[in-house]
Amino acid sequence: MSKSEYFYYIDDHKKHTEFNTLGLYRSIIENERLEIKEQIEVLE
């Protein structure tokens, strides 16, 4: 996923009770398309 897609899903997660936060964090860390700087931005 791109950085903008992550921001969309992070903002959208408040509507869902079954949102998997741990899975999201793992996805960010393992995403090879994001640079380290972008990963940190998304995690913050």
Side-chain angles (χ1 to χ4, degrees):
M1 286 198 299
S2 68
K3 185 170 77 170
S4 62
E5 289 174 312
Y6 278 113
F7 286 133
Y8 169 78
Y9 287 112
I10 289 169
D11 288 338
D12 190 54
H13 90 279
K14 297 171 187 167
K15 300 176 188 173
H16 307 283
T17 58
E18 73 281 349
F19 188 80
N20 184 348
T21 306
L22 182 59
L24 176 70
Y25 290 143
R26 182 176 177 186
S27 170
I28 294 167
I29 292 169
E30 292 179 354
N31 189 334
E32 295 177 356
R33 294 190 325 183
L34 293 178
E35 296 179 14
I36 301 256
K37 186 171 137 180
E38 292 175 317
Q39 290 173 340
I40 292 170
E41 279 182 58
V42 174
L43 288 170
E44 290 178 344

